[in-house]
Amino acid sequence: MICKKEWNQFFSSITAYVALVIFLLLNGLFLFVFPDSSMLNFGYATLSPFFDFVPWVLLFLIPTITMRSFADEYKTGTFELLKTWPVKPSRLVLGKFFGAMLIILAALLPTLVYAFSLQYLSSSGGLDVGATIGSYIGLLLLCGVFVSIGIAASSFTNNTVVAFIAGAFVCFMLYAGFDALSRLPVFSGTLDYYIEMLGINFHYQSVSRGVIDTRDLVYFFVMNSFFMFITQKNVINK
């Protein structure tokens, strides 16, 4: 019920459709039109540019989707109504999470056209199916962490703009911040590898190679659980 509510709430405004259209348009322009990044100019079939580029777009798209999750409930007073429902806080948080994930899936589903197009246009070999499937799995795991971060940020405030900025900032820091920190000369040759392992990008790239490592799955599970736990605590204390 909560999941369905999130879906209907998101698609009840024109902003939702504009956000999804811009997401697909940016990907299309970057991957097929702009000459410096067009996959058609690579000379071989690969979706690597897409999987390298799309997390940066999702850094802004997902906080846009999740910023209203709890902030709007607080602002409009419907959160008090939600608390009267016979729904445990954990189920309320999970409903919000899966509702946002369904929206993300709706945004990512059309991108499968890129894979089929490259496979059809390829004169020999085609796509590396294993790596492509692994990359999509990695992308879904990354989206799960971004969604849990966005919902956690929304649970702290009744201001959607603040929720968006906080969610986008934390997503950025966890995705790229540890990579940048590991490259500092002071950590070179000592802690750089371990610092890089704390970031989402390290594990996302690992899964994208087509090899599902238990350590990567544990990382994404722990990150999701941590932010969902924070959200649940905020919901209980409101």
Side-chain angles (χ1 to χ4, degrees), residues 158-202:
N158 63 358
N159 189 313
T160 54
V161 176
V162 173
F164 169 80
I165 294 173
F169 176 76
V170 175
C171 287
F172 172 78
M173 290 304 297
L174 284 176
Y175 180 72
F178 286 104
D179 282 355
L181 188 62
S182 69
R183 295 191 186 100
L184 293 177
V186 67
F187 298 121
S188 179
T190 54
L191 298 174
D192 53 345
Y193 177 76
Y194 299 101
I195 292 174
E196 190 178 5
M197 283 183 66
L198 295 174
I200 296 173
N201 188 42
F202 177 89

Side-chain angles (χ1 to χ4, degrees), residues 47-48 50-52 54-55 108 112 115 127-143 200-213 216-217 220:
L47 276 174
S48 296
F50 168 70
F51 292 113
D52 290 338
V54 73
L108 291 178
L112 291 174
L127 290 171
D128 184 339
V129 177
T132 302
I133 293 174
S135 295
Y136 268 107
I137 292 173
L139 192 58
L140 289 176
L141 292 172
L142 176 142
C143 288
I200 296 173
N201 188 42
F202 177 89
H203 299 276
Y204 169 66
Q205 295 295 338
S206 177
V207 176
S208 294
R209 298 186 188 103
V211 180
I212 308 299
D213 193 315
D216 300 320
L217 297 180
F220 285 111

Side-chain angles (χ1 to χ4, degrees), residues 64-201:
T64 301
I65 293 171
T66 59
M67 66 182 182
R68 300 174 60 187
S69 295
F70 284 102
D72 257 12
E73 306 285 5
Y74 299 155
K75 187 175 182 179
T76 60
T78 54
F79 181 72
E80 284 70 21
L81 178 62
L82 281 177
K83 292 188 75 173
T84 64
W85 290 7
V87 180
K88 294 180 181 179
S90 59
R91 292 183 176 242
L92 175 60
V93 174
L94 284 173
K96 297 280 188 181
F97 174 83
F98 286 118
M101 283 300 293
L102 279 177
I103 296 168
I104 298 301
L105 283 173
L108 291 178
L109 196 60
T111 66
L112 291 174
V113 174
Y114 305 154
F116 289 116
S117 299
L118 286 179
Q119 187 71 15
Y120 176 77
L121 293 172
S122 177
S123 58
S124 62
L127 290 171
D128 184 339
V129 177
T132 302
I133 293 174
S135 295
Y136 268 107
I137 292 173
L139 192 58
L140 289 176
L141 292 172
L142 176 142
C143 288
V145 177
F146 282 1
V147 166
S148 61
I149 291 171
I151 293 175
S154 182
S155 70
F156 279 98
T157 179
N158 63 358
N159 189 313
T160 54
V161 176
V162 173
F164 169 80
I165 294 173
F169 176 76
V170 175
C171 287
F172 172 78
M173 290 304 297
L174 284 176
Y175 180 72
F178 286 104
D179 282 355
L181 188 62
S182 69
R183 295 191 186 100
L184 293 177
V186 67
F187 298 121
S188 179
T190 54
L191 298 174
D192 53 345
Y193 177 76
Y194 299 101
I195 292 174
E196 190 178 5
M197 283 183 66
L198 295 174
I200 296 173
N201 188 42

Side-chain angles (χ1 to χ4, degrees), residues 9-27 57 60-61 64-65 67-68 103 107:
Q9 182 181 15
F10 182 76
F11 286 105
S12 64
S13 67
I14 190 66
T15 307
Y17 298 96
V18 171
L20 294 183
V21 167
I22 290 177
F23 169 72
L24 295 173
L25 185 62
L26 279 175
N27 283 316
V57 183
F60 299 97
L61 176 66
T64 301
I65 293 171
M67 66 182 182
R68 300 174 60 187
I103 296 168

